[in-house]
Amino acid sequence: MSENGKVWLDGAKGLLPETVTLRRKIHEHPELGLHLPKTVAAVREALDGLDVKIETGPSTSGLIVTLQGPTQGRTVLLRGDMDALPMPEDTDLPFKSKEPGRMHACGHDSHTAMLAGAVKLLHKNRAKLAGTVKFMFQPGEEGHFGALRMIEDGLIDKHPKPDGAFAMHITPNVPTGIFTAKAGAFMASTDTISIRVVGKGGHASTPQFCVDPMPVACEIVLALQSFVTRKISAFDPVVLTIAQINGGTTNNVIPEAVTLIGTLRSVSEASRKRAKEGLKRVAEKVAEAHEARAEVTLTAGYDVTVNDGRMVALAAETVRGLFGEHGFAPMPAPVMGAEDWGYVLQRIPGCMVFLGVAPEGCDHHHAAPCHSNRMMLDENAMANGIALYAAVAERFLDGGLPA
């Protein structure tokens, strides 16, 4: 390990206790959406006394924290998201959520705490920085387009505009302390599906006088799965899931309409477009075959998150320099989760990596995943995250992206 690598790793380990404290404070009081006053106050308190510039925009409570090194040069953006999920927490942690129906089940509390730790670590060693580091504390990642709102507010492009961007996301389903990533498509796009199947209601004993939308809806669900496997390339895949079927009021009434709700995930804009066109066609034609009508509404979600291969290579080399050859495990394929970090990567070359945080004594294959009401993480792995934030920033400012 280089001398600088030792500085980052030892410094990160030294910051771990206060990073854990901040993470638990945020975990106890999860907030949703674009405005997170308690979380932002905790971040500001953690950064109090540091010689940094803090900026906000009109659309969200997101922060851009700027740390200037002793010389002008490149600028790198480091990001951590801050919002939680609208779901209950069913763990036995002493610092479990105190807010009913809210939980940090996706690890954003750890992202925020690690990024705050990185601010402190880089601030302490700012003499090593050949440029500027911007830290993006982002709200509204869970479906609220928080990154896009911060871009629209002008916070990302504001001088000095970043030349590179780096983010990380924890996962309990990778061994603790191990980093993993891939170039190209990294996470999927996401679109919401709503299909209203309209028939003709009536008495359940006389379906011949009705147009029953229920079996039509069921047939559409199965037809859509056949469509995905027959018309979409297995090498450019999509995942189409119908997660809700809503309709009917009692046992002896055929309802007039049934609604299907679901999600469409894809890892390229080509397969996304093909799936959306085919989904609409299949639903409408199946309904028409049964003298019913399908009203299809597709609501666009996040775009595909695409990693720049050069930044992935830089991150992988940095990981191996800090933690050895086995500290980085290349990802074989994208994951079908979605991220609004992709909007930043459309403007700035950069990447996201996953940090394994499998809880102690738990096989990562069987750990409760992100978005589980029982998700937990190994807090010791956060030291690795802090160290990597700092080391990537230093390396990028020194040399930019590899050729």
Side-chain angles (χ1 to χ4, degrees):
M1 182 187 301
S2 69
E3 185 60 34
N4 279 353
K6 189 174 186 332
V7 168
W8 301 133
L9 191 52
D10 288 349
K13 289 177 179 176
L15 287 166
L16 184 60
E18 59 196 85
T19 302
V20 168
T21 297
L22 177 58
R23 182 250 164 172
R24 293 183 179 188
K25 181 177 183 179
I26 295 170
H27 189 92
E28 282 188 307
H29 298 285
E31 296 177 293
L32 309 178
L34 296 170
H35 299 283
L36 318 174
K38 292 180 181 177
T39 306
V40 169
V43 170
R44 284 182 174 271
E45 182 181 5
L47 304 183
D48 188 43
L50 300 183
D51 181 18
V52 294
K53 181 181 179 181
I54 300 179
E55 297 173 282
T56 61
S59 299
T60 80
S61 59
L63 305 175
I64 293 291
V65 177
T66 302
L67 173 63
Q68 177 64 56
T71 60
Q72 296 293 328
R74 298 181 181 87
T75 299
V76 64
L77 179 72
L78 307 179
R79 178 264 209 165
D81 41 1
M82 302 188 290
D83 57 321
L85 285 157
M87 58 181 287
E89 178 168 357
D90 295 307
T91 70
D92 295 323
L93 295 171
F95 53 91
K96 68 182 293 185
S97 173
K98 292 181 179 177
E99 310 294 336
R102 298 181 181 184
M103 179 187 177
H104 268 292
C106 203
H108 297 186
D109 51 347
S110 66
H111 301 168
T112 304
M114 288 189 293
L115 191 62
V119 179
K120 295 176 184 178
L121 184 55
L122 286 164
H123 184 274
K124 182 179 179 181
N125 296 277
R126 65 194 307 172
K128 298 179 182 295
L129 301 178
T132 303
V133 186
K134 288 188 171 184
F135 305 86
M136 180 182 179
F137 290 90
Q138 182 211 308
E141 188 282 321
E142 295 292 354
H144 298 273
F145 292 84
L148 193 56
R149 299 289 88 82
M150 291 184 74
I151 290 170
E152 292 170 347
D153 285 347
L155 290 170
I156 307 304
D157 293 340
K158 196 168 185 178
H159 181 78
K161 181 180 177 180
D163 304 291
F166 178 74
M168 69 179 72
H169 199 300
I170 62 92
T171 172
N173 303 118
V174 168
T176 190
I178 302 299
F179 293 91
T180 182
K182 68 176 293 294
F186 179 71
M187 298 185 78
S189 65
T190 175
D191 299 293
T192 299
I193 303 163
S194 176
I195 304 172
R196 187 169 183 261
V197 182
V198 183
K200 178 182 176 183
H203 201 290
S205 67
T206 55
Q208 69 272 22
F209 298 139
C210 310
V211 177
D212 189 347
M214 196 68 73
V216 179
C218 294
E219 188 171 327
I220 288 172
V221 173
L222 295 177
L224 289 177
Q225 300 309 315
S226 295
F227 159 73
V228 165
T229 61
R230 299 298 91 187
K231 290 295 185 179
I232 305 294
S233 170
F235 299 102
D236 188 13
V238 304
V239 170
L240 194 163
T241 297
I242 299 299
Q244 295 180 43
I245 301 180
N246 301 314
T249 56
T250 187
N251 70 316
N252 62 349
V253 173
I254 290 174
E256 180 177 86
V258 173
T259 301
L260 308 175
I261 302 293
T263 183
L264 174 67
R265 309 290 174 121
S266 50
V267 291
S268 80
E269 288 303 317
S271 65
R272 184 185 193 183
K273 181 175 184 291
R274 185 171 178 82
K276 289 165 78 170
E277 291 172 349
L279 183 160
K280 188 173 187 295
R281 182 179 65 252
V282 168
E284 290 175 347
K285 295 304 182 182
V286 169
E288 184 182 333
H290 294 281
E291 300 182 330
R293 183 174 80 254
E295 300 168 352
V296 179
T297 302
L298 296 171
T299 303
Y302 295 160
D303 291 346
V304 180
T305 297
V306 181
N307 277 345
D308 187 294
R310 298 166 298 170
M311 186 62 96
V312 173
L314 184 149
E317 291 169 10
T318 307
V319 170
R320 292 178 179 122
L322 287 171
F323 306 108
E325 193 63 30
H326 299 294
F328 184 85
M331 279 173 58
V335 298
M336 285 297 185
E339 251 287 348
D340 68 350
W341 177 241
Y343 293 109
V344 174
L345 298 185
Q346 289 173 5
R347 308 173 72 83
I348 305 166
C351 76
M352 172 177 278
V353 302
F354 285 125
L355 167 60
V357 291
E360 185 177 359
C362 181
D363 184 331
H364 66 278
H365 293 107
H366 302 113
C370 289
H371 288 225
S372 165
N373 56 318
R374 302 187 188 279
M375 194 281 277
M376 294 189 290
L377 57 88
D378 178 8
E379 292 176 317
N380 291 321
M382 293 195 296
N384 290 25
I386 296 169
L388 186 62
Y389 270 134
V392 163
E394 181 206 26
R395 188 174 189 136
F396 180 84
L397 295 181
D398 278 347
L401 292 170

